[in-house]
Amino acid sequence: MNHARTEIRKILAGRQVKSPDERVRELMDHTLIRSFMKEHPEIPLEAYKRSLSKLSQYVREQGNCVRCQGLESCPNIITGHHSVLVGYETNIDLQMKKCHRLEAYEQMKKRQALMKSHMIPKSILAATFDTIDLDPDRTEAISQAIEYCERFESGVFPKHGLYLYGPYGVGKSHIAGAMANYLTGLGVDSFMVYVPDFVQSVYDSIRKQKINELVDSVKQAKVLILDDIGAENLNPWMRDEIIGAILQYRMGEELPTIYTSNLTLNELENHLAFTNKGGEERIKAVRIMERIKHYTKPIRVSGKNRREGAI
């Protein structure tokens, strides 16, 4: 034990303690600090010497954000925040700013709070591409979903979405849930809605006079995932004034929408043509389908019914 302590003391004694001037010069050579100095030529060198801890925190936290793996592993002093240098005449200070990942997460939680119950199982909300079983029947569909999500990493959002369709229980919703988690991890405001429950929430919001808030929240999401479209009960007003209006807005704003459905695109058109009020309104169904067909890539998801097995 004494030998170990002696060795540690030798190591520490051999280290050179940097002076404040040396630490300032080292920090001022950093790209971020040089950029700040260029923006604030009025701030004297002495202010940088007085602010060594702030400069160090700023550089460290900015570096953490570049290497960020997600909110759950954020190493910064305040989770989901990073420091920003601010110049005040001859002084330097720090301000805390939310990162884009935290902002996306808060937007998602805000939208969920507006829904009475979006009724998406926890297993789907927690799905990731690492936990989904890559069996041969749906490997191609999962691969295309991953490739689609990776397009967001460049910061340029695709204008088109995906239409995941196939038999009951093959894992379409789990793929969509994994996409939502992937995008949220990138700081992209994504929101997954179970369509039959959304329809019911709209009816409930009418009584509470919160319909505009609910509909605006859904239609303005950067990426909207409409889960199980075609399973809802529709009347003409819900189809045309709510679902149709949401899709029209998103088309105009070039916001991508992802769908899951047990129906093919042609079958979905037939579903939209008939409402619980009776009769066929093919033209109105075609108008809505134009906002889906021309702005999505259809991907068939095949395989066994997995409701009682692995996801």
Side-chain angles (χ1 to χ4, degrees), residues 275-289:
T275 68
N276 57 18
K277 297 297 183 181
E280 179 180 357
E281 296 180 302
R282 181 66 56 178
I283 293 178
K284 291 186 176 180
V286 169
R287 287 175 180 170
I288 292 180
M289 288 306 301

Side-chain angles (χ1 to χ4, degrees), residues 15-286:
R15 291 179 179 174
Q16 292 183 347
V17 178
K18 294 180 181 179
S19 68
D21 287 343
E22 290 174 323
R23 292 176 64 195
V24 168
R25 283 195 294 270
E26 185 179 272
L27 282 169
M28 291 175 65
D29 194 45
H30 194 283
T31 303
L32 293 173
I33 304 302
R34 289 206 306 267
S35 177
F36 180 79
M37 292 177 65
K38 187 175 181 179
E39 295 175 3
H40 299 276
E42 75 283 1
I43 297 179
L45 179 61
E46 288 302 316
Y48 290 88
K49 292 181 179 180
R50 295 194 304 268
S51 307
L52 283 179
S53 61
K54 296 176 181 177
L55 299 178
S56 297
Q57 179 181 335
Y58 170 65
V59 169
R60 181 176 62 256
E61 294 194 342
Q62 291 292 326
N64 290 340
C65 289
V66 171
R67 299 182 296 273
C68 181
Q69 298 297 313
L71 286 176
E72 66 282 353
S73 59
C74 177
N76 290 349
I77 293 177
I78 302 177
T79 299
H81 293 72
H82 58 83
S83 305
V84 176
L85 284 182
V86 180
Y88 294 106
E89 297 181 355
T90 59
N91 294 306
I92 300 172
D93 204 354
L94 284 179
Q95 289 183 354
M96 303 306 295
K97 183 178 179 181
K98 292 180 182 178
C99 72
H100 63 285
R101 294 176 188 264
L102 178 59
E103 290 177 339
Y105 175 78
E106 289 179 344
Q107 283 295 322
M108 178 187 69
K109 299 301 290 185
K110 179 180 178 181
R111 289 190 168 90
Q112 288 179 349
L114 286 172
M115 301 289 290
K116 178 182 177 183
S117 169
H118 62 322
M119 290 184 66
I120 295 177
K122 290 182 179 180
S123 61
I124 293 177
L125 292 176
T128 68
F129 289 120
D130 293 328
T131 62
I132 292 180
D133 183 22
L134 294 175
D135 65 80
D137 290 321
R138 58 180 188 170
T139 298
E140 180 59 27
I142 294 172
S143 176
Q144 291 192 55
I146 293 173
E147 290 178 4
Y148 180 81
C149 290
E150 289 175 341
R151 295 170 63 185
F152 288 81
E153 295 185 12
S154 65
V156 180
F157 289 11
K159 300 176 184 179
H160 290 61
L162 302 180
Y163 186 83
L164 304 172
Y165 71 99
Y168 174 87
V170 295
K172 302 180 295 295
S173 296
H174 278 91
I175 295 174
M179 295 180 72
N181 279 322
Y182 192 111
L183 295 173
T184 300
L186 294 176
V188 178
D189 171 25
S190 58
F191 188 44
M192 185 173 183
V193 173
Y194 179 60
V195 176
D197 192 58
F198 169 69
V199 169
Q200 185 58 51
S201 293
V202 170
Y203 291 134
D204 292 341
S205 68
I206 294 174
R207 293 193 293 270
K208 298 176 182 178
Q209 297 182 340
K210 291 186 176 182
I211 184 170
N212 290 336
E213 186 179 7
L214 173 61
V215 174
D216 287 347
S217 178
V218 171
K219 75 181 184 181
Q220 292 172 5
K222 294 296 183 183
V223 178
L224 176 62
I225 301 175
L226 294 177
D227 185 39
D228 210 8
I229 190 169
E232 70 285 344
N233 291 318
L234 293 176
N235 61 31
W237 175 80
M238 178 63 67
R239 178 194 59 200
D240 302 332
E241 302 301 325
I242 301 299
I243 294 179
I246 288 173
L247 298 185
Q248 178 66 32
Y249 176 89
R250 299 187 63 77
M251 181 182 69
E253 295 298 318
E254 299 183 339
L255 298 172
T257 305
I258 298 165
Y259 306 81
T260 76
S261 182
N262 295 334
L263 307 178
T264 66
L265 287 168
N266 288 336
E267 290 170 341
L268 181 61
E269 181 176 318
N270 291 333
H271 167 75
L272 294 173
F274 291 89
T275 68
N276 57 18
K277 297 297 183 181
E280 179 180 357
E281 296 180 302
R282 181 66 56 178
I283 293 178
K284 291 186 176 180
V286 169

